[in-house]
Amino acid sequence: MSNPHTSSSGESHGSVSSYIIGFVLAVVLTVLSFGVVMSHSLSPAGTLAAVSALALVQVLVHLHYFLHMGGDSEQRWNNMCFVFTVAFVAILIVGSVFIMNNTALHMMSR
C-alpha cells in the first residue's frame, strides 16, 4: 500500500501539520499587514516598506509550505523553472515600464 502523501515518483507532498503551519503563518502575516495599514502608526514610506517585507515573507511561506519548493536536489528542476519565470516576468515588467516612460518622455517634450 502506498503512502497517501507520496506521488508515483516518490516525492513528498507535505503533511497535514505542514499545511496547518503554513496556513497559520499566512493568516498571521495577513493580519499583521492589515494591522500595519489600519493603525496608521508608520509614515507612508514606512508602511510601504513594512507591507512589502511582510508580502515577501508571505510569498516565501507559500513557496515552502504549499508549493513545497525547497533546497532539495529533487526540487532543482522546479526551482530552475520558478527562477526562469520570475526573471521573465521581471524583464517583461521592467521593459514595459521603460518603454512607457521613454515614450512619455519623448512625446511630452514637443
Side-chain angles (χ1 to χ4, degrees):
M1 186 164 241
S2 67
N3 185 354
H5 299 295
T6 306
S7 69
S8 61
S9 63
E11 297 173 358
S12 174
H13 288 288
S15 63
V16 174
S17 63
S18 172
Y19 284 119
I20 290 173
I21 291 170
F23 177 73
V24 169
L25 286 173
V27 168
V28 166
L29 289 167
T30 301
V31 169
L32 285 174
S33 298
F34 185 76
V36 166
V37 171
M38 293 304 292
S39 69
H40 300 289
S41 59
L42 299 173
S43 67
T47 300
L48 180 63
V51 170
S52 297
L54 289 169
L56 178 64
V57 172
Q58 188 154 13
V59 165
L60 295 176
V61 165
H62 282 265
L63 289 174
H64 180 74
Y65 287 103
F66 300 123
L67 296 178
H68 311 293
M69 293 182 70
D72 301 342
S73 61
E74 298 97 22
Q75 296 293 327
R76 183 167 291 146
W77 182 250
N78 289 340
N79 291 339
M80 286 190 329
C81 290
F82 178 73
V83 168
F84 175 76
T85 302
V86 168
F88 182 78
V89 169
I91 290 170
L92 184 72
I93 291 172
V94 169
S96 297
V97 169
F98 174 76
I99 289 170
M100 288 187 291
N101 186 31
N102 193 18
T103 303
L105 181 70
H106 287 295
M107 291 183 77
M108 293 296 181
S109 64
R110 293 180 185 203

